[in-house]
């Protein structure tokens, strides 16, 4: 996992702890829920980006011979 995903996960856990504590005013809790949604969306986009990059074939390099096909 990358540092940015680790940071996003840490922030989401921190917010969840604050929400579970039940010590927030309703408007504060709403703001944190909205931040959670934004962070979760960002984390999802990052994971999708990394997954797509892992699935893309590497470019052919000059002078590189192709591997024989598996049979």
């Amino acid at each position: 996992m990358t540092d940015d995903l680790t940071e996003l996960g840490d922030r989401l856990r921190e917010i969840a702890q604050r929400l579970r504590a039940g010590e927030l005013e309703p408007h504060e809790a709403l703001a944190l829920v909205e931040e959670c949604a934004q962070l979760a969306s960002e984390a999802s986009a990052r994971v999708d980006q990394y997954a797509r990059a892992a699935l893309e074939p590497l470019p052919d390099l000059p002078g590189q011979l192709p591997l024989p096909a598996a049979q």
Side-chain angles (χ1 to χ4, degrees):
M1 194 166 12
T2 63
D3 288 341
D4 56 340
L5 284 176
T6 301
E7 289 176 23
L8 287 170
D10 290 346
R11 181 67 181 134
L12 285 168
R13 279 187 285 281
E14 176 188 315
I15 291 171
Q17 287 175 343
R18 290 185 64 197
L19 290 170
R20 285 188 200 112
E23 300 172 358
L24 301 171
E25 294 293 324
H27 69 280
E28 293 172 315
L30 179 59
L32 286 177
V33 168
E34 289 174 354
E35 185 179 352
C36 271
Q38 189 273 328
L39 291 171
S41 176
E42 186 176 338
S44 175
R46 297 268 173 91
V47 168
D48 186 52
Q49 179 184 21
Y50 295 132
R52 288 179 190 269
L55 294 175
E56 288 181 12
L58 295 174
D60 291 333
L61 299 175
Q64 192 173 35
L65 298 174
L67 293 174
Q71 294 179 352

